[in-house]
């Protein structure tokens, strides 16, 4: 039972952390190395809320707001000229990640920060105590997945987005404003990243380097899953389960190797990813 | 070109004579004490407190007439928190500034890199940082704790006062984590307890989920951790607190400052330390009051790394006074015998260049302050450097 809960909650955390990257990297094909820095930025929204002695829940809207603002700025100033130069975009976003990290150090300092958690304590569930916050992340991940999936496949905006990514010239010819679509999609992706950063603060230390530890794993998961939110959820579930099982039955040191290892194997068998049939 | 050399020689000789005359006319030369500290780099969080401790000690000693009638002069050099920087810093102190002694905390890597310079320069060195133990050099003394001293009080308190029998050990996968827990395991087994599990996470790991489930499954009744400072420490504390696991938890890698910055996440955690600001001795109260008066609003809270620095200046003073000279060989001999009663209690570095220490077992409160539950007097450092007298 405990193992099952570990698997479900780990998969939920992985999904929340990678959803923003799926928008930017999976859908828009921009290799966004600033994803880690955006996670960190969102976590610092929690720190600000804690320092202002406001309700920890307010951290989420603040993080989303900061993410949208950062996303709009980054898209307009840095990413827009680089859509046709993917290698330059890698360098630019990597550098951007460093800049965001240094700005955070400049304003908040290098040390570990304290942030209030919105949900505390444990719940008694099927004979065992389990972290209430981790449990709350499971429905949140499901709702997020359903919502984003609907946005990408069930709305006009989603159809336009996919049209722009598939064939920008043709889409423009049909009267779709490609620039605006990219602008909005990137901003949504950035806001998902900062929101995730805020959501992981109750589980993680808040320091300028915190986002970096999630970056590589997030890229692996998105590369394996492709561009669909449901396939991302499935990937997170499978890989999260592998990580938890290996950590539990073997050792956590080996467990932390499972995602990179299985991602390499999965991409060898199916280089195009799960959802790019 | 050749003709110039004698000219330079004459010039140098003349200058030297002038300096010598000046020096003779003035009060005796000050005693120079070098402090190498990480003003930049990772140690820059703790460095300001170390500098303040040193300044405060020197001010006090000078106000009371100095050492053997000579003033003490502080030479502070940045070691950039690393081995390469420490080598340069010690080189500057020993060979350029020609200090009479060095008093400095360093990381273990930096200390090992700097020790050859101390040996070559034959300068007494008091090392003021706790460390993994068994670093021996004929010119070095240590006035901080080694694992023997830090781990014993925790295991003792857990098994005697809390009646814990099944211990679970958790750490980060690196030298300090593995070393501390290996030592902890031995101490637990010696005390009659049992280690029911030992788990490590890589340094950059932040997900303790599986480890927490293992602790629960092992039915451990006490947890001891030795993680890296900072991030892993905080993520473990957060995840442990929300997991509903309610067993006594001692953290071997937490200090007072970190505990304060963690808010209620660290509440209930046990820690073991030789210095805490809440020690209720007259010496510590005078120390805190004096520091507060001297530095006012700029005061950096004294801590486990900065306070031994203060005591080391007095230990050096006592040694010089006993030797009646700053001669390095005589001072090194005298350092083993002298003692100083400071904020932590009596410090006497007479055990293989190390010192028996009063150790405090503290419990972190919800507001980040630390209540001292028990003081273990004169905890022995064990056999550290049997070949050095």
């Amino acid at each position: 039972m405990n193992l099952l809960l570990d698997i479900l909650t780990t998969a939920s955390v992985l999904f929340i952390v990678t959803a923003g990257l799926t928008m930017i990297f999976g859908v828009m094909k921009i290799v966004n190395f600033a994803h880690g820095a955006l996670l960190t930025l969102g976590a610092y929204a929690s720190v600000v809320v804690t320092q202002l002695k406001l309700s920890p829940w307010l951290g989420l809207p603040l993080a989303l707001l900061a993410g949208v603002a950062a996303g709009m700025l980054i898209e307009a100033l840095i990413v827009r000229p680089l859509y046709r130069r993917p290698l330059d975009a890698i360098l630019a976003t990597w550098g951007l990640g460093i800049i965001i990290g240094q700005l955070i150090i400049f304003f908040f300092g290098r040390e570990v920060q304290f942030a209030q958690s919105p949900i505390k304590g444990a719940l008694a569930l099927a004979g065992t105590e389990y972290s209430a916050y981790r449990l709350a992340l499971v429905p949140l991940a499901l709702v997020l997945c359903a919502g984003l999936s609907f946005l990408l496949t069930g709305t006009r905006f989603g159809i336009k987005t996919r049209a722009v990514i598939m064939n920008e010239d043709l889409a423009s010819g049909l009267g779709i404003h490609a620039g605006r679509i990219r602008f909005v999609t990137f901003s949504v992706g950035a806001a998902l990243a900062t929101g995730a950063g805020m959501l992981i603060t109750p589980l993680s230390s808040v320091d300028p380097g915190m986002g970096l530890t999630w970056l590589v794993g997030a890229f692996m998961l998105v590369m394996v899953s492709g561009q669909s939110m449901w396939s991302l959820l499935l990937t997170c579930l499978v890989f999260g389960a592998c990580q938890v099982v290996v950590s539990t039955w073997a050792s956590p040191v080996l467990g932390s190797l499972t995602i990179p290892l299985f991602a390499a194997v999965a991409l060898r068998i199916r280089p195009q990813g799960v959802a790019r049939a | 070109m050749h003709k110039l050399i004698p000219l330079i020689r004459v010039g140098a000789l003349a200058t030297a004579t002038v300096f010598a005359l000046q020096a003779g006319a003035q009060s005796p030369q000050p005693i120079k004490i070098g402090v190498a500290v990480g003003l930049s780099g990772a140690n820059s969080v703790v460095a300001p407190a170390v500098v303040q401790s040193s300044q405060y000690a020197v001010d006090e000693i000078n106000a009371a007439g100095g050492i053997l009638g000579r003033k003490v002069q502080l030479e502070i050099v940045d070691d950039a928190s690393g081995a390469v920087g420490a080598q340069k810093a010690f080189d500057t102190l020993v060979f350029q500034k020609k200090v009479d002694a060095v008093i400095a905390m360093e990381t273990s890597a930096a200390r090992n890199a700097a020790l050859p310079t101390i040996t070559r320069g034959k300068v007494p060195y008091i090392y003021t940082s706790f460390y993994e133990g068994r670093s021996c050099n004929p010119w070095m003394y240590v006035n901080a704790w080694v694992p023997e001293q830090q781990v014993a009080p925790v295991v003792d308190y857990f098994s005697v006062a809390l009646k814990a029998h099944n211990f679970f050990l958790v750490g980060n996968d690196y030298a300090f984590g593995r070393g501390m827990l290996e030592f902890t395991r031995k101490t637990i087994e010696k005390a009659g307890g049992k280690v029911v599990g030992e788990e490590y996470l890589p340094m950059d790991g932040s997900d303790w989920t599986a480890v927490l489930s293992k602790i629960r499954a092992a039915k451990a009744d006490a947890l001891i951790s030795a993680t890296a400072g900072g991030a892993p420490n905080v993520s473990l504390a957060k995840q442990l607190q929300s997991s509903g696991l309610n067993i006594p938890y001692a953290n071997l890698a937490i200090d007072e400052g970190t505990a304060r910055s963690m808010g209620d996440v660290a509440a209930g955690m046990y820690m073991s330390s030789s210095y805490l600001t809440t020690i209720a001795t007259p010496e510590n109260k005078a120390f805190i009051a004096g520091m507060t008066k001297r530095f006012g609003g700029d005061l950096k809270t004294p801590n486990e790394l900065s306070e031994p620095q203060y005591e080391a200046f007095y230990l050096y003073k006592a040694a010089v006074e006993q030797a009646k000279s700053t001669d390095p060989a005589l001072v090194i001999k005298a350092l083993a015998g002298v003692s100083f009663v400071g904020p932590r209690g009596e410090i006497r570095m007479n055990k293989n260049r190390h010192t028996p220490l009063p150790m405090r077992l503290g419990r972190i409160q919800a507001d980040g302050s630390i209540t001292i539950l028990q003081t273990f007097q004169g905890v022995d450092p064990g056999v550290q450097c049997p070949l050095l007298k």
Side-chain angles (χ1 to χ4, degrees), chain B residues 197-217:
Chain B
E198 187 173 340
E199 290 296 339
Y200 295 90
L201 207 64
M203 288 272 273
D204 59 352
S206 59
D207 187 6
W208 299 91
T209 314
V211 175
L212 292 176
S213 293
K214 281 187 178 183
I215 299 173
R216 197 189 299 275

Side-chain angles (χ1 to χ4, degrees), chain B residues 89-174:
Chain B
F90 275 61
D91 217 61
T92 308
L93 289 172
V94 172
F95 297 112
Q96 285 177 29
K97 311 246 182 199
K98 300 206 182 303
V99 295
D100 294 288
V102 178
I103 295 176
M105 59 147 290
E106 288 291 348
T107 63
S108 289
R111 178 196 66 240
N112 290 340
L115 276 176
T117 310
I118 290 289
T119 311
R120 247 187 312 134
K122 296 188 172 51
V123 172
Y125 173 33
I126 303 180
Y127 180 60
T128 59
S129 168
F130 55 86
Y131 79 116
E132 68 284 356
R134 296 184 175 73
S135 176
C136 304
N137 183 294
W139 299 98
M140 181 171 76
Y141 276 85
V142 181
N143 76 344
W145 59 253
V146 290
E148 277 85 341
Q149 292 166 300
Q150 202 219 7
V151 173
V154 170
V155 174
D156 192 71
Y157 186 85
F158 273 24
S159 37
V160 177
L162 302 179
K163 311 238 177 301
H165 184 74
N166 296 328
F167 290 81
F168 204 103
L169 309 180
V170 170
N172 274 125
D173 197 12
Y174 76 127

Side-chain angles (χ1 to χ4, degrees), chain A residues 182-194:
Chain A
R182 286 189 194 272
F183 182 61
V184 174
T185 313
F186 192 92
S187 306
V188 170
L192 286 172
T194 51

Side-chain angles (χ1 to χ4, degrees), chain B residues 116-337:
Chain B
T117 310
I118 290 289
T119 311
R120 247 187 312 134
K122 296 188 172 51
V123 172
Y125 173 33
I126 303 180
Y127 180 60
T128 59
S129 168
F130 55 86
Y131 79 116
E132 68 284 356
R134 296 184 175 73
S135 176
C136 304
N137 183 294
W139 299 98
M140 181 171 76
Y141 276 85
V142 181
N143 76 344
W145 59 253
V146 290
E148 277 85 341
Q149 292 166 300
Q150 202 219 7
V151 173
V154 170
V155 174
D156 192 71
Y157 186 85
F158 273 24
S159 37
V160 177
L162 302 179
K163 311 238 177 301
H165 184 74
N166 296 328
F167 290 81
F168 204 103
L169 309 180
V170 170
N172 274 125
D173 197 12
Y174 76 127
F176 176 81
R178 294 246 176 208
M180 285 301 273
L181 291 188
E182 190 194 311
F183 188 80
T184 308
R185 173 187 280 272
K186 281 188 201 146
T187 316
I188 290 170
E189 282 162 1
K190 217 182 283 171
K194 201 172 132 202
V195 176
V196 293
E198 187 173 340
E199 290 296 339
Y200 295 90
L201 207 64
M203 288 272 273
D204 59 352
S206 59
D207 187 6
W208 299 91
T209 314
V211 175
L212 292 176
S213 293
K214 281 187 178 183
I215 299 173
R216 197 189 299 275
K219 302 211 184 318
D221 44 28
L223 172 67
I224 298 179
S225 78
T227 59
N233 220 344
V234 180
S235 60
L236 173 61
K238 281 186 176 175
Q239 293 175 30
L240 181 70
Q241 197 189 41
S242 68
S243 73
L245 263 174
N246 220 343
I247 55 175
Y249 167 38
N251 189 329
L252 298 179
I254 197 166
D255 61 274
E256 213 174 336
T258 309
R260 265 179 223 282
S261 73
M262 276 162 75
D264 63 349
V265 173
M269 208 185 269
Y270 294 89
M271 64 182 287
S272 162
S273 179
S274 69
Y275 182 74
L276 291 168
T277 51
T278 43
I279 293 172
T281 59
E283 288 83 10
N284 185 44
K285 283 179 179 158
F287 174 67
I288 299 272
M291 289 282 282
T292 313
K293 195 170 161 224
R294 167 76 168 75
F295 298 103
D298 297 331
L299 177 71
K300 305 285 175 202
T301 312
N303 56 56
E304 184 80 312
L305 286 166
S306 76
E307 191 278 339
Q309 189 81 10
Y310 169 78
E311 286 167 359
F313 280 86
Y314 276 97
L315 289 164
Y316 177 73
K317 173 177 188 276
V320 171
E321 282 169 354
Q322 195 183 75
K324 298 195 172 55
S325 151
T326 54
D327 179 80
L330 295 177
V331 170
I332 281 291
K333 221 169 146 192
L335 272 171

Side-chain angles (χ1 to χ4, degrees), chain A residues 227-241:
Chain A
Q227 53 191 319
S228 145
M229 286 292 164
W230 289 108
S231 74
L232 178 68
L233 192 67
L234 184 72
T235 312
C236 289
L237 192 62
V238 173
F239 281 39

Side-chain angles (χ1 to χ4, degrees), chain A residues 143-208:
Chain A
V143 168
L144 191 65
C145 179
L148 288 174
S149 205
F150 178 71
L151 180 71
L152 283 177
T153 54
T155 62
R156 265 207 93 66
F157 170 75
I159 293 166
K160 282 182 183 171
T161 307
R162 284 181 296 144
V164 168
I165 304 305
M166 274 179 200
N167 191 333
E168 184 166 353
D169 294 336
L170 197 58
S172 299
L174 290 170
I176 297 171
H177 194 316
R180 191 184 298 153
I181 292 286
R182 286 189 194 272
F183 182 61
V184 174
T185 313
F186 192 92
S187 306
V188 170
L192 286 172
T194 51
M198 179 271 160
L199 288 171
I200 55 173
T201 50
L203 307 172
S204 138
S205 143
V206 183
D207 60 82

